Amino acid sequence: MIKKILVANRGEIAVRIIRSCREMGIGTVAVYSDADRCALHVLYADEAWHIGPSPSVQSYLHIDNILAAARESGADAIHPGYGFLSENPEFPERCKEAGIIFIGPSSHAMSTMGDKIKARKTMTAAGVPVVPGTGDAITDELEALQVIREIGLPVMIKASAGGGGKGMRLVKREEEVRPGLRAARSEASTAFGDDAVFIEKYIESPHHIEFQILADQHGNIVQLFERECSVQRRHQKIVEETPSPILTPERRQQMGDAAVAAARAVNYEGAGTIEFIVDKDLNYYFLEMNTRLQVEHPITERVVGVDLVKEQIHIANGKPLALRQDELKQQGHAIECRVYAEDPENQFMPAPGRVTHIDIPYGVGVRVDGSIYEGFEIPLYYDPLIAKLIVWGKDRKEALERSRRALQEFKITGVKNNLRFLERIMHTAGFVEGDYTTHFIDDNEDTLMQDETCDEHCEDIVMISALMEYLRKIRKASPKEMTALKNNWKDYSRVRSVLKL
Ligand code: ADP
């Protein structure tokens, strides 16, 4: 039985995993880089080990350093979280060699599903529908044109090793094939060290709908229904909900069955997600499998009533699944909003910096998984996801109203963030009506993109933040510096008015 788990990750997911371990009475080991010395996961874990400098290649991606921390701390298992090493097939192998349990699937399942070309072949053999396209990697323009003439334009040229929305090119006309092929291959080579690309039919106005599965070591597999992830910016999700507003019970059943078949085809073990792209007629096609916990897993936890991290640990312990498919139900509705330290007005550029103030929403139906606190310096080295707001309501209407309420209460100052942008999504007609596709953000750019500084909601919080910053400065200031502060600091007069001086 696992007694101590090293979490090979950081941020909100490391904190989230540590919490489940604590509830199970399992010891926890955090690992951290230079930039994360004061990070929340370090403070939450029972013990914390330094694993290297700030760049992730020298720390969170450094297998030797992580295994050394596991050995020295006496951890008997490693949870990889998501991102970083979670989908690197070398990692489970290396854990095995070191006699440490890897909480996740086998290296074989990971490498089959991590290679989109291999995955497409395996799915086709298992009878799971894939997007029409090529069976093998394409290197040559003529070959590409031949395929395109068969399946028809538009198409996507995609990196076989792709992830995070990178290495994808939309091709609408034949003249775009040659530059598209070259660009996709070069991007794939830089981002993933593998320039293999393939061609897939571009599905117009699609939905991204994925199914959560759990598989134990004894051949039992269950599916825990879908998550609708069509609100995306640059092919990356920012809002997810379950149930999907568009699925019928019949289509849900068929897709759930296909997800189980997909997992069975690679002898899957652990928690995983089968992603599908769905067209307007509800035709569904396998996109890829994520062989790990997803960022958006909490909405499934809320609606189905499971703790997926605990399930992962039970599976790694060799226990048979206690969940039975015919007993699983979706209850109510859940929505997740991803809170990023980024600037929606400036092409969602990451905006690291020091958090000066944070108001976290509480109350019925609200869960916040986060990794920041007041005074925390968000490092520039990692993904700028800083918190997730997960709300539950008895139906979609209530979940939506609750999301709006919670977002209104949620305030972060000191760093640019997308909270007001998320709030506007919750008020935008397409989302309100549950009638949206992966083009939702682009289609609603005018409504969604507003100047944050003029936003009424922001006004008070900007003022409070200015006041706090001012108080912080004057606490340390000499009389001379005080004069300089008064003369130079643009918010001084606003602060005076707040204090009624
Ligand atoms: P990644 O592994 O980089 O996340 P995916 O294959 O999962 O890439 O696709 C990410 C997103 O890109 C999808 O959710 C969808 O919005 C879009 N996409 C991918 N393939 C297609 C396609 N064939 N047609 C239309 N959109 C697509």
Side-chain angles (χ1 to χ4, degrees):
M1 283 297 175
I2 295 170
K3 291 198 180 64
K4 198 190 236 191
I5 292 178
L6 179 145
V7 182
N9 216 300
R10 64 177 301 283
E12 67 84 20
I13 194 62
V15 177
R16 188 259 167 273
I17 294 163
I18 291 167
R19 285 184 166 138
S20 285
C21 293
R22 184 149 301 153
E23 288 172 22
M24 296 170 84
I26 295 172
T28 51
V29 182
V31 291
Y32 64 96
S33 67
D34 285 350
D36 272 341
R37 279 181 194 282
C38 300
L40 204 58
H41 71 287
V42 173
L43 307 176
Y44 263 63
D46 297 335
E47 51 189 290
W49 293 72
H50 180 246
I51 48 161
S54 308
S56 28
V57 276
Q58 295 172 57
S59 48
Y60 298 105
L61 290 171
H62 202 293
I63 298 182
D64 288 336
N65 291 2
I66 290 172
L67 288 178
R71 255 191 316 271
E72 284 170 48
S73 63
D76 43 22
I78 292 184
H79 194 304
Y82 54 69
F84 295 124
L85 291 168
S86 65
E87 290 183 291
N88 180 342
E90 192 191 335
F91 197 34
E93 281 299 307
R94 295 286 308 279
C95 289
K96 201 156 130 200
E97 280 163 29
I100 293 166
I101 297 171
F102 176 79
I103 302 176
S106 68
S107 154
H108 167 75
M110 241 187 224
S111 52
T112 308
M113 289 304 196
D115 178 329
K116 292 187 182 180
I117 295 176
K118 249 194 231 173
R120 280 167 63 82
K121 283 189 181 159
T122 313
M123 291 304 104
T124 309
V128 177
V130 300
V131 185
T134 53
D136 288 297
I138 294 274
T139 47
D140 172 271
E141 188 194 345
L142 286 178
E143 213 182 332
L145 284 169
Q146 210 176 348
V147 176
I148 288 169
R149 282 172 195 149
E150 272 166 39
I151 60 175
L153 284 164
V155 297
M156 287 281 246
I157 303 180
K158 289 171 83 168
S160 187
K166 290 202 196 88
M168 261 186 257
R169 277 285 176 290
L170 172 61
V171 171
K172 291 183 176 158
R173 290 174 304 150
E174 289 200 355
E175 307 85 272
E176 293 167 6
V177 172
R178 186 205 285 259
L181 201 55
R182 197 180 307 136
R185 289 184 68 188
S186 129
E187 197 175 312
S189 167
T190 319
F192 314 109
D194 173 2
D195 71 354
V197 296
F198 65 103
I199 293 178
E200 208 174 74
K201 175 102 186 118
Y202 179 73
I203 309 292
E204 307 270 359
S205 303
H207 283 253
H208 173 122
I209 300 178
E210 59 187 32
F211 276 70
Q212 176 70 52
I213 62 105
L214 280 173
D216 67 16
Q217 297 176 3
H218 312 280
N220 303 306
I221 307 178
V222 292
Q223 56 93 0
L224 295 91
F225 312 105
E226 81 279 11
R227 293 184 287 260
E228 165 73 64
C229 310
S230 300
V231 180
Q232 303 181 346
R233 49 126 175 70
R234 286 199 247 107
H235 303 305
Q236 286 178 310
K237 307 156 191 169
I238 45 173
V239 173
E240 305 91 2
E241 64 176 315
T242 185
S244 161
I246 64 156
L247 280 194
T248 59
E250 298 73 37
R251 195 39 48 113
R252 176 173 294 116
Q253 183 68 51
Q254 287 163 349
M255 291 174 74
D257 291 345
V260 170
R264 200 172 295 287
V266 287
N267 292 324
Y268 198 78
E269 178 192 319
T273 297
I274 317 289
E275 297 187 336
F276 295 100
I277 194 151
V278 180
D279 70 16
K280 57 181 183 336
D281 301 319
L282 295 191
N283 294 310
Y284 60 96
Y285 309 97
F286 170 86
L287 253 191
E288 65 166 345
M289 178 172 190
N290 287 140
T291 52
R292 54 169 166 82
L293 200 63
Q294 302 269 97
V295 176
E296 58 276 21
H297 75 275
I299 53 172
T300 299
E301 296 190 319
R302 193 61 189 79
V303 162
V304 182
V306 289
D307 180 324
L308 287 168
V309 171
K310 287 184 185 167
E311 294 298 329
Q312 287 183 300
I313 296 170
H314 290 319
I315 292 169
N317 266 327
K319 281 198 192 164
L321 278 178
L323 304 166
R324 291 200 27 195
Q325 190 67 63
D326 54 3
E327 288 167 5
L328 293 173
K329 284 195 179 53
Q330 291 170 297
Q331 243 192 9
H333 199 98
I335 301 176
E336 175 182 274
C337 291
R338 299 190 187 190
V339 183
Y340 284 96
E342 67 179 16
D343 186 359
E345 269 72 56
N346 188 12
Q347 284 156 27
F348 303 99
M349 282 285 279
R354 192 168 154 275
V355 178
T356 51
H357 181 78
I358 174 163
D359 276 338
I360 294 177
Y362 300 100
V364 65
V366 174
R367 161 176 171 182
V368 176
D369 281 15
S371 60
I372 57 166
Y373 53 85
E374 278 172 26
F376 180 63
E377 187 86 35
I378 299 169
L380 53 88
Y381 298 94
Y382 318 111
D383 187 90
L385 179 73
I386 48 177
K388 303 185 310 203
L389 169 71
I390 304 106
V391 305
W392 180 87
K394 63 180 185 307
D395 51 26
R396 189 170 192 274
K397 183 170 172 290
E398 189 178 54
L400 186 63
E401 288 161 355
R402 193 160 280 158
S403 292
R404 290 177 185 156
R405 184 270 290 172
L407 281 166
Q408 211 174 2
E409 289 174 15
F410 209 153
K411 278 151 197 164
I412 298 170
T413 51
V415 291
K416 285 215 150 93
N417 61 75
N418 66 338
L419 278 169
R420 305 290 73 89
F421 180 77
L422 291 165
E423 212 178 332
R424 288 194 284 273
I425 291 178
M426 297 298 129
H427 288 277
T428 303
F431 190 79
V432 174
E433 286 145 23
D435 178 18
Y436 61 91
T437 70
T438 56
H439 305 304
F440 172 77
I441 302 259
D442 290 339
D443 291 348
N444 292 282
E445 209 178 327
D446 290 348
T447 331
L448 294 172
M449 302 293 176
Q450 283 174 20
D451 185 1
E452 301 274 316
T453 49
C454 302
D455 191 326
E456 210 184 310
H457 287 309
C458 289
E459 197 53 29
D460 291 353
I461 208 70
V462 165
M463 187 67 83
I464 293 166
S465 157
L467 185 56
M468 286 192 36
E469 193 64 24
Y470 175 73
L471 292 172
R472 201 172 62 82
K473 280 183 184 158
I474 58 168
R475 241 194 350 233
K476 295 185 202 145
S478 66
K480 209 169 138 197
E481 286 167 333
M482 266 307 292
T483 315
L485 264 178
K486 286 182 195 172
N487 292 342
N488 299 334
W489 195 43
K490 65 177 168 32
D491 281 313
Y492 181 67
S493 56
R494 295 170 71 189
V495 170
R496 279 182 66 91
S497 76
V498 172
L499 293 176
K500 306 219 181 335
L501 292 173

